């Protein structure tokens, strides 16, 4: 692939996380034709193996302005083409924290022609030099941003080329179909009559494969994005107590005064490997209090915005008409459970409403009774059992290309229904292939590329 962006300069950036007082070591990554020469200038070493490829050697970083040594470092050299970017790469492993790593980077930028890398520029170079395809580059970003094991596992499969493989399998099937049409156009007399049914069946099999990828992604998007669960109910039923119980911290104020919570309070947790955002809300009741009213409005909006709801009521009061009115506002597919709280208190009202009684779990948040049952309900409702075998999850860009590709194939239906000339099919199939090529990055404009890689962080 010939690069559409010039790659003749050399770039550098801090590739590790930088935090004051944390991280024993930090890594500066330098890539480009001048990487080795530039680093040679600021490194002092006695190593005989210095600057050989795939070797680590010991040395010191020095400030050229005053010849002062600023840190003791290890240097790793990977010569082109055997490196991540395909260019010469030097990694400088220095001490962590903020000051020293930034100082070495500054010295390098100041005393050589190396420039600071843009976000994602190392991955972009790896892509442009044909070391990885676009889906692999995007998977690196996903792996670094993964906030749970499942998401990390899927991202790693992406780096190994799983999504690319699956897309290429589909693309090759389409190329075969296209070849058949084109051969017929050129040498029609050598072929039997075009079999519309058979061709349509073949296309349907390909469409099913595309649909499978789209549906798997839609169903499992939460693995990467997490799911949001709102705690909804009247005042004083124990919503904030539940937030505190699940998050194992005293995040929300709990008092016996109805109307304690006025605003939305959120915590991020991992429940059985799923990232979950629990949202505590203001208790819903009729009130004249101006601030509380705003809070209640937010609670009602949250029913619409969140992915799931746990509805909570007080067992000593029972599930009354006011509760039912609120529950009716919650779509069935969002309702994880109706949670009857304060089971520890003796005075418990019987639940007469048969419609809801099946979905009620009894809990004492105060005495931590029923917590496991609630967690099971969450897992069950969020469909997490299905995600064991997921190989790929597409990001928005990839989904949009894949949907376009499917649309091209769906647009062929008229040709089959009306038995239009079969060579019309070639146009749609060719566009469908093109959309798949966009997905893997074979067909891209410079602008689109910049847009994709600018979402990466510096040093990647
Ligand atoms: N006995 C008993 N009391 C509980 C239980 N859970 C919560 N409480 C008490 O009920 C009162 C209200 O609890 P909160 O968690 O503040 O209730 P809330 O639903 O957030 O209330 P608002 O913020 O006013 O809407 C507090 O005094 C809690 O200690 C429980 O399981 N048993
Ligand atoms: Mg509260």
């Amino acid at each position: 692939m010939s690069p559409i962006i010039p790659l003749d300069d050399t770039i550098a950036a801090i590739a590790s996380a930088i935090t004051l007082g944390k991280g024993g070591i930090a890594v500066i990554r330098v890539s480009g034709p001048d990487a080795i020469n530039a680093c040679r200038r600021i490194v002092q070493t006695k190593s005989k193996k210095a600057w050989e490829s795939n070797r680590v050697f010991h040395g010191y970083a020095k400030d050229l302005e005053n010849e002062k040594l600023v840190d003791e470092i290890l240097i790793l050299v990977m010569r082109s083409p055997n490196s991540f970017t395909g260019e010469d790469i030097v990694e400088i492993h220095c001490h962590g924290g903020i000051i020293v790593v930034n100082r070495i980077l500054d010295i390098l930028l100041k005393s050589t022609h190396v420039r600071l890398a843009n976000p994602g520029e190392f991955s972009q170079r790896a892509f442009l030099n044909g070391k990885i395809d676009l889906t692999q580059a995007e998977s690196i970003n996903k792996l670094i941003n993964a906030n749970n094991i499942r998401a990390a596992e899927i991202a790693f499969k992406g780096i190994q080329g799983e999504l690319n493989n699956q897309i290429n399998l589909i693309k090759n099937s389409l190329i075969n179909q296209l070849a058949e049409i084109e051969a017929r156009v050129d040498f029609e007399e050598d072929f039997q009559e075009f079999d519309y049914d058979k061709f349509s069946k073949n296309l349907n099999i390909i469409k099913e494969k595309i649909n499978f990828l789209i549906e798997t992604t839609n169903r499992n998007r939460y693995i990467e994005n997490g799911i949001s669960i709102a705690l909804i109910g009247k005042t004083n039923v124990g919503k904030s107590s539940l937030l505190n119980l699940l998050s194992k911290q005293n995040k929300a104020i709990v008092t016996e005064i109805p109307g304690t919570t006025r605003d939305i309070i959120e915590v991020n947790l991992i429940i059985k490997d799923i990232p979950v955002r629990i949202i505590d809300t203001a208790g819903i009741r009729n009130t004249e209090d101006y601030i509380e009213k705003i809070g209640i409005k937010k609670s009602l909006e949250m029913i619409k915005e969140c992915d799931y709801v746990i509805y909570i009521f007080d067992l000593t009061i029972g599930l009354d008409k006011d509760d039912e009115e609120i529950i009716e506002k919650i779509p069935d597919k969002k309702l994880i459970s109706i949670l009857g709280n304060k089971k520890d208190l003796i005075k418990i009202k019987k639940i007469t409403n048969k419609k809801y009684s099946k979905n009620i779990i009894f809990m004492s948040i105060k005495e931590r009774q029923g917590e496991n049952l609630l967690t099971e309900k969450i897992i069950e409702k969020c469909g997490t059992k299905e995600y064991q075998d997921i190989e790929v999850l597409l990001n928005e860009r990839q989904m949009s290309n894949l949907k376009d590709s499917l649309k091209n194939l769906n647009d062929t239906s008229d040709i089959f229904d009306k038995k239009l000339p079969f060579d019309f099919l070639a146009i749609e199939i060719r566009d469908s292939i093109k959309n798949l090529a966009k997905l893997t990055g074979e067909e891209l404009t410079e602008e689109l590329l910049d847009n994709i890689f600018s979402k990466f962080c510096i040093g990647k």
Side-chain angles (χ1 to χ4, degrees):
M1 188 187 307
S2 65
I4 49 180
I5 297 168
L7 299 174
D8 48 10
D9 57 352
T10 299
I11 54 172
I14 299 170
S16 53
I18 17 179
T19 321
L20 183 64
K22 290 203 178 128
I25 57 163
V27 180
I28 297 169
R29 194 190 234 173
V30 191
S31 177
D34 201 33
I36 293 172
N37 271 340
C39 292
R40 244 183 229 276
R41 300 198 62 201
I42 67 152
V43 170
Q44 186 173 305
T45 180
K46 285 187 182 144
S47 168
K48 293 201 172 61
K49 303 276 183 199
W51 310 108
E52 284 182 16
S53 194
N54 298 324
R55 282 205 182 263
V56 182
F57 65 93
H58 172 266
Y60 296 89
K62 93 183 154 198
D63 190 341
L64 294 182
E65 268 178 12
N66 50 22
E67 292 293 316
K68 245 191 193 169
L69 299 185
V70 295
D71 196 13
E72 190 171 1
I73 57 178
L74 287 176
I75 302 108
L76 173 58
V77 179
M78 288 158 279
R79 285 185 188 256
S80 170
N82 299 318
S83 74
F84 172 62
T85 57
E87 305 173 329
D88 282 350
I89 285 192
V90 178
E91 277 183 13
I92 298 177
H93 295 233
C94 61
H95 286 103
I98 293 179
I99 300 298
V100 78
V101 58
N102 272 307
R103 190 167 173 199
I104 297 172
L105 180 64
D106 273 352
I107 293 170
L108 182 72
L109 299 179
K110 211 167 52 191
S111 37
T112 67
H113 292 301
V114 174
R115 71 166 168 85
L116 189 64
N118 294 319
E121 206 173 352
F122 292 96
S123 302
Q124 191 179 36
R125 286 186 173 205
F127 167 72
L128 291 171
N129 288 324
K131 299 295 278 190
I132 51 175
D133 84 313
L134 197 55
T135 65
Q136 288 172 305
E138 286 172 315
S139 299
I140 297 175
N141 204 19
K142 276 191 179 179
L143 182 63
I144 292 168
N145 288 303
N147 62 1
N148 66 85
I149 290 172
R150 294 282 167 204
E153 281 175 354
I154 296 168
F156 182 58
K157 283 186 181 162
I159 294 177
Q160 291 181 307
E162 184 63 39
L163 177 56
N164 191 30
N165 288 345
Q166 297 210 16
I167 297 297
N168 280 336
L169 281 177
I170 296 173
K171 206 173 78 188
N172 288 339
S173 311
L174 283 174
I175 290 172
N176 286 339
Q177 298 301 308
L178 183 64
E180 186 164 326
I181 292 174
E182 287 180 341
R184 276 172 183 278
V185 173
D186 293 343
F187 312 100
E188 199 165 1
E189 59 283 4
D190 299 343
F191 286 88
Q192 290 173 351
E193 208 180 318
F194 184 76
D195 186 341
Y196 281 83
D197 278 351
K198 192 173 153 219
F199 206 91
S200 158
K201 266 187 201 143
N202 287 345
L203 277 195
N204 279 341
I205 294 171
I206 301 174
K207 281 199 272 184
E208 266 168 35
K209 285 185 185 150
I210 297 182
N211 262 323
F212 176 78
L213 288 181
I214 294 175
E215 275 162 26
T216 312
T217 299
N218 280 340
R219 232 180 317 116
N220 297 287
R221 215 183 265 289
Y222 67 87
I223 295 176
E224 284 169 359
N225 300 343
I227 52 170
S228 53
I229 303 177
L231 308 180
I232 302 285
K234 295 193 295 182
T235 55
N236 220 34
V237 295
K239 300 180 295 300
S240 302
S241 305
L242 182 60
L243 179 93
N244 291 346
L245 176 76
L246 293 174
S247 66
K248 300 186 176 63
Q249 47 176 312
N250 272 331
K251 179 94 179 173
I253 300 172
V254 168
T255 76
E256 67 288 352
I257 303 162
T260 302
T261 307
R262 302 287 185 98
D263 216 335
I264 302 286
I265 303 172
E266 303 187 355
V267 288
N268 290 308
L269 319 168
I270 302 281
I271 299 181
K272 306 247 176 196
D273 286 352
I274 321 167
V276 180
R277 186 157 50 96
I278 305 274
I279 303 155
D280 182 20
T281 62
I284 297 168
R285 65 168 174 176
N286 280 324
T287 173
E288 287 312 310
D289 185 298
Y290 180 65
I291 300 169
E292 198 182 346
K293 265 186 172 170
I294 299 174
I296 292 171
K297 191 164 166 266
K298 281 192 183 179
S299 307
L300 294 169
E301 283 166 5
M302 198 42 81
I303 296 179
K304 293 195 188 117
E305 280 172 28
C306 69
D307 300 321
Y308 295 100
V309 173
I310 295 172
Y311 187 81
I312 308 172
F313 71 99
D314 185 332
L315 284 168
T316 65
I317 296 172
L319 194 71
D320 63 20
K321 283 265 167 300
D322 292 336
D323 290 303
E324 289 174 14
E325 214 175 278
I326 308 169
I327 295 173
E328 287 303 319
K329 294 187 201 301
I330 307 169
D332 273 354
K333 62 178 191 326
K334 280 196 181 188
L335 187 63
I336 292 178
S337 187
I338 300 172
L339 193 160
N341 185 33
K342 310 194 185 180
K343 189 174 106 175
D344 54 291
L345 296 179
I346 307 156
K347 201 176 86 259
I348 289 182
K349 281 264 174 73
K350 235 181 132 188
I351 292 145
T352 48
N353 188 324
K354 291 239 164 46
K355 184 174 167 200
Y356 300 123
S357 53
K358 281 187 288 281
N359 196 14
I360 293 177
I361 44 178
F362 294 78
M363 240 182 120
S364 166
I365 295 171
K366 191 175 172 192
E367 297 190 351
R368 306 191 68 140
Q369 290 171 25
E371 193 186 346
N372 288 345
L373 199 62
L374 178 65
T375 324
E376 270 170 35
K377 277 267 181 191
I378 295 175
I379 303 288
E380 194 184 299
K381 185 79 185 183
C382 307
T384 52
K385 284 180 186 139
E386 294 163 28
Y387 75 59
Q388 298 293 354
D389 293 329
I390 290 168
E391 303 279 318
V392 296
L393 280 180
L394 286 79
N395 65 22
E396 272 176 43
R397 184 196 69 79
Q398 297 159 347
M399 274 291 254
S400 144
N401 290 156
L402 193 60
K403 282 180 182 166
D404 287 347
S405 163
L406 181 65
K407 185 175 176 300
N408 298 135
L409 300 183
N410 285 334
D411 286 349
T412 58
S413 60
D414 246 14
I415 303 173
F416 291 109
D417 292 349
K418 298 183 182 151
K419 298 257 184 327
L420 299 175
F422 67 83
D423 49 330
F424 285 11
L425 287 168
I427 304 167
E428 297 297 349
I429 295 178
R430 213 173 280 130
D431 283 348
S432 181
I433 293 170
K434 238 186 204 166
N435 280 316
L436 294 180
K438 271 191 200 163
L439 195 162
T440 54
E442 289 159 67
E443 291 239 350
L444 277 180
T445 61
E446 187 174 332
E447 188 189 354
L448 192 64
L449 259 189
D450 279 346
N451 188 355
I452 293 166
F453 284 100
S454 62
K455 294 192 182 91
F456 285 45
C457 68
I458 289 192
K460 228 186 294 162

